Amino acid sequence: MSRRSGILEFAVLGLLRESPMHGYELRKRLNTSLGVFRAFSYGTLYPCLKTLLANGWLIEEPGNTSEDALAAPLAGRRAKIVYRLTAEGKEHFEQLLSQTGPDAYEDETFAARFAFFGQTSRDVRMRVLEGRRSRLEERLEKMRASLARTRERLDDYTLELQRHGMESVEREVRWLNELIESERAGRDLKGSATGEPAQQDTTSGTTGGLPRTGDDPRPDTPDDTAT
């Protein structure tokens, strides 16, 4: 399994742990709430769902809302399918949440992990944050060394681009320092002192505290599939 597909499976399990969803609802949440998936192909979601179903981590249920019941006969198609997390799926997701290895520090993996920090224990959050900070500090050191070696050979625009990249990494390191300080002080993102996982809003179109990089240019369109 590729890293990209692994991240997608993790995100799908995390969203379905919050509540059962139609395929279209899942696509929209992945696309708007988790910024890392803004560019993902819709065609990759359904193979992912099939894999999770085959593993016994999800089950399919018929939609039971009044809207579905009315829309299906009028449109000449069956009601949308709802995907629900099984007990095995919840257990598997909790195992994934507890992992703090090097993969958790990579750009796309960290963004997905951070989006579900509200469901993650404080000690795991700390290890992931500190690992991410260490990874970025190493990257920043390499960028500075590279810039020092090549500064005289770069034109002004290329030099400015490299400086911009360094500043972006420096900003994230500062942001991580603030988060780590809050975790050590026993505060969640809203400033309350508690030992429980931070309760973050994952339904309002935010990325769980991650910087936004612009709105998704694709309009939301009705789902014409059975899922």
Side-chain angles (χ1 to χ4, degrees), residues 86-191:
T86 64
E88 293 80 5
K90 181 178 180 181
E91 182 180 355
H92 179 63
F93 179 68
E94 289 173 350
Q95 290 175 351
L96 295 176
L97 277 182
S98 67
Q99 295 177 2
T100 59
D103 282 350
Y105 318 148
E106 299 298 334
D107 294 345
E108 290 185 345
T109 310
F110 174 76
R113 287 295 303 270
F114 189 86
F116 293 100
F117 262 21
Q119 303 180 42
T120 306
S121 63
R122 188 179 302 278
D123 62 323
V124 171
R125 293 199 304 265
M126 278 292 293
R127 288 197 294 271
V128 173
L129 290 171
E130 290 175 339
R132 174 65 175 175
R133 180 177 63 180
S134 177
R135 178 65 51 85
L136 290 182
E137 287 173 341
E138 292 174 3
R139 184 183 302 175
L140 191 58
E141 184 178 349
K142 291 178 181 178
M143 293 173 74
R144 286 170 175 161
S146 175
L147 183 60
R149 290 194 306 269
T150 61
R151 180 187 301 271
E152 300 302 324
R153 300 195 300 271
L154 298 177
D155 62 65
D156 291 343
Y157 292 100
T158 304
L159 183 61
E160 189 62 27
L161 183 62
Q162 292 204 9
R163 286 173 176 165
H164 173 69
M166 288 177 54
E167 289 172 358
S168 297
V169 177
E170 289 169 345
R171 281 196 300 271
E172 186 171 348
V173 170
R174 290 195 296 270
W175 174 67
L176 289 167
N177 285 336
E178 293 172 359
L179 290 173
I180 291 170
E181 181 181 351
S182 293
E183 293 287 350
R184 285 176 175 164
R187 299 190 302 270
D188 63 20
L189 294 187
K190 294 180 180 179

Side-chain angles (χ1 to χ4, degrees), residues 49-50 53 58-62 78 81-84 86 227:
L49 290 171
K50 288 181 180 179
L53 287 164
L58 305 182
I59 58 172
E60 293 180 332
E61 298 177 340
R78 63 189 176 94
I81 292 171
V82 171
Y83 296 92
R84 182 185 297 275
T86 64
T227 54

Side-chain angles (χ1 to χ4, degrees), residues 5 32 35 55 79 106 121 158 168 218 223:
S5 62
T32 60
N55 288 335
E106 299 298 334
S121 63
T158 304
S168 297
R218 292 174 300 196
D223 185 17

